[in-house]
Amino acid sequence: MPALIPVTPKFRPVLDPEFLAASLWNRAYRSVVKAAGGGSPLALALERSDGSVSVFRTAILPHEGGNVALNHRYVERLLKFLLWQKGGYLVTVGGDPRIAAYLRGDYAPGGERAFDHQFMGERVYGRPMTIESTTFDAAPAERESAAPLGRHLDGYRIGFDLGASDRKCAAVAGGQVVFSEEVPWNPSAQSDPQYHFDGVHDSLRRAAAKLPRVDAIGGSAAGVYVNNEVRVGSLYRGVPPALFETRVRRLFCDLQAAWGGIPFDVVNDGEVTALAGSMALNDGAVLGIAMGSSLAAGYVTQQGAITSWLNELAFVPVDYRDNAPVDEWSGDPGVGAQYFSQQAVGRLLAPAGIELPQEMPLPVKLEQVQKLVAAGDDRARRIYETIGTFFGYNIAHYSDFYEVRNLLVLGRVLSGAGGDLILSVARQVLKEEFPEVAERIRFHIPDEKEKRHGQAIAAASLPTIPVQEKK
């Protein structure tokens, strides 16, 4: 369907020339709507379990004839982006009821987006995902709640970050790191949740030994966390579902109890990374992008707060062509993880003419490509040029959904000469295709000290210490 709207990019990814940038397609669609007289108004409202509501307002073509397929493509991909950016179990479609009916069929147990229906409903919010219809004027009002987390540097605190291969922990006194360490572990292979509890508890005790007392604990980890509860997380994928519900879901609540009920907050690691960048820059409107084993992201508002949004940009659509590569987990084509991660590097090896053993793990393949590009290998350069083109177009796509003034970029894919190439190509795409976006966004690449200590301080700063508890 997307070919029905002509899109003429100024740049084509050298190893993936069929790429159809979501940013360009959406802009072309909106131009067609404008040329058709402005179209019909449409609102998508997404409600989360904390009562907050995000609303996206747009317009669609008159829903008839050849426009139907175009409208379906636009609104389905739009809702997909909003679900993984903002999150929500209740979607209210304000506008044409036929659009709501289409989305209800697509995002249903037997529909194309059955994965999203089950994930957003049962796994994240613990209730069925539903799609309702109303008029545009009756669409719910926006109720955003930026979490009052972070930037608290008073007292004696512990900050931790749980990764796939190590757990980091730091003792922070008055905003200064006085102790930090990394301890290797292998959580995803463990079926006994006691391993996770004991590992985090041990790190906390070791950091606490360096402080006169512990006033608060803050942490970050990959996954989805709602009110300190683990909803989804790759760190716990070895734990059977029944044990996940009884032992993992409230893991951090149990740890808080073990530490006497002191203030204790845990959020997604991407949010803490963005918060650390915001604190280093002393500015808001920060979007953090980390290209590693997958694509991680976090966001800090213009006011400097993190949000209750999901910001799981690995699963938002970035490529609208019909035969886009399919994400093996969600089953959806053209989503971020296939373009901005080690998975992207692995996918582009064959088009680049680089042969590596199929059984070689992706991190090792990335290391080989990094060595090749450092040695001046043109094949490896083309991989990074391709990702850079993807990224330039997708920064513009993100800017349609986020207020971005600062773009924080990090992750193993962005390290070394290849990372420099990605960013230089992305900047060129922005400058030529989206000059208004290029003018307002500045890139920020954290150094090693900022990445280590900044993340620890930001994590430790999450909880608020009540006045009566301060000594």
Side-chain angles (χ1 to χ4, degrees):
M1 299 305 175
L4 294 174
I5 289 185
V7 174
T8 308
K10 294 181 180 178
F11 301 86
R12 291 191 182 274
V14 60
L15 298 179
D16 199 1
E18 302 282 310
F19 174 72
L20 179 53
S23 53
L24 291 182
W25 195 92
N26 282 341
R27 279 165 166 74
Y29 175 88
R30 291 195 292 267
S31 294
V32 173
V33 172
K34 185 177 180 180
S40 305
L42 183 79
L44 296 177
L46 293 83
E47 182 171 343
R48 295 175 288 278
S49 54
D50 63 355
S52 60
V53 180
S54 299
V55 183
F56 190 95
R57 291 179 173 83
T58 184
I60 59 172
L61 291 165
H63 200 61
E64 56 193 30
N67 292 343
V68 171
L70 292 174
N71 286 342
H72 284 174
R73 183 66 169 184
Y74 177 65
V75 298
E76 189 278 318
R77 294 287 78 184
L78 175 60
L79 178 57
K80 173 80 176 192
F81 192 110
L82 293 171
L83 280 171
W84 290 91
Q85 177 204 15
K86 303 288 184 69
Y89 71 91
L90 172 61
V91 178
T92 303
V93 180
D96 195 319
R98 292 172 294 179
I99 295 295
Y102 166 71
L103 292 173
R104 193 179 299 119
D106 217 32
Y107 288 84
E112 285 290 316
R113 303 279 79 83
F115 174 88
D116 307 84
H117 175 273
Q118 190 269 340
F119 188 96
M120 290 295 161
E122 297 170 18
R123 295 196 66 180
V124 175
Y125 297 106
R127 61 191 79 183
M129 176 185 166
T130 57
I131 297 180
E132 298 181 351
S133 178
T134 188
T135 63
F136 179 79
D137 291 338
E142 190 160 89
R143 295 193 303 271
E144 293 287 10
S145 60
L149 297 173
R151 302 178 189 274
H152 308 296
L153 300 177
D154 54 320
Y156 297 98
R157 299 167 172 269
I158 297 175
F160 66 87
D161 177 63
L162 306 181
S165 58
D166 61 62
R167 57 181 194 267
K168 303 176 182 67
C169 198
V172 179
Q176 299 298 314
V177 175
V178 297
F179 166 81
S180 67
E181 69 171 356
E182 298 181 11
V183 177
W185 75 336
N186 186 22
S188 61
Q190 309 301 319
S191 60
D192 184 356
Q194 192 66 37
Y195 175 92
H196 301 80
F197 182 96
D198 290 344
V200 179
H201 196 36
D202 177 64
S203 287
L204 296 177
R205 281 192 301 229
R206 292 154 75 106
K210 308 297 181 180
L211 296 170
R213 66 176 188 273
V214 179
D215 297 320
I217 297 172
S220 65
V224 177
Y225 300 85
V226 178
N227 298 327
N228 281 355
E229 288 192 0
V230 184
R231 299 300 169 88
V232 183
S234 59
L235 300 179
Y236 324 101
R237 62 174 176 257
V239 178
L243 276 179
F244 181 94
E245 288 299 320
T246 58
R247 297 287 307 283
V248 173
R249 182 177 288 275
R250 292 186 58 79
L251 170 67
F252 297 105
C253 301
D254 294 339
L255 281 162
Q256 182 180 24
W259 283 82
I262 63 174
F264 197 121
D265 285 301
V266 179
V267 300
N268 175 272
D269 54 354
E271 304 304 321
V272 173
T273 299
L275 178 61
S278 175
M279 292 168 71
L281 293 166
N282 194 29
D283 197 7
V286 177
L287 178 63
I289 298 292
M291 300 187 197
S293 56
S294 184
L295 170 64
Y299 182 63
V300 173
T301 67
Q302 292 201 65
Q303 293 73 35
I306 61 176
T307 70
S308 61
W309 304 347
L310 295 186
N311 296 315
E312 291 286 351
L313 299 188
F315 306 105
V316 305
V318 302
D319 181 357
Y320 277 17
R321 63 181 146 158
D322 289 327
N323 61 340
V326 174
D327 175 61
E328 61 182 6
W329 191 45
S330 66
D332 202 359
V335 298
Q338 290 289 320
Y339 299 79
F340 309 110
S341 70
Q342 293 175 17
Q343 297 172 54
V345 174
R347 181 171 72 82
L348 295 171
L349 287 171
I354 298 175
E355 295 185 11
L356 293 174
Q358 189 170 355
E359 66 275 10
M360 181 181 285
L362 280 175
V364 182
K365 288 180 178 178
L366 174 61
E367 291 173 4
Q368 296 301 310
V369 174
Q370 288 172 330
K371 290 176 182 177
L372 289 173
V373 78
D377 190 298
D378 283 340
R379 300 172 302 166
R381 283 184 60 86
R382 285 194 287 272
I383 289 178
Y384 288 104
E385 288 170 355
T386 297
I387 295 174
T389 305
F390 293 155
F391 196 37
Y393 280 111
N394 215 48
I395 293 169
H397 190 40
Y398 294 150
S399 73
D400 284 341
F401 297 88
Y402 291 94
E403 290 287 340
V404 184
R405 191 163 52 245
N406 302 286
L407 187 67
L408 181 71
V409 289
L410 65 163
R412 292 184 65 189
V413 175
L414 283 162
S415 62
D420 294 339
L421 191 53
I422 288 174
L423 296 181
S424 70
V425 172
R427 285 187 174 104
Q428 184 183 8
V429 171
L430 280 175
K431 182 179 178 181
E432 296 293 327
E433 287 273 33
F434 312 97
E436 75 288 353
V437 178
E439 286 178 8
R440 72 171 183 263
I441 291 182
R442 61 171 173 162
F443 289 71
H444 178 62
I445 306 167
D447 58 28
E448 285 304 314
K449 180 181 179 182
E450 183 184 330
K451 281 192 285 189
R452 290 197 314 273
H453 284 195
Q455 184 93 358
I457 293 171
S461 80
L462 290 172
T464 301
I465 303 172
V467 174
Q468 62 269 25
E469 293 185 17
K470 297 178 183 177
K471 299 179 181 179

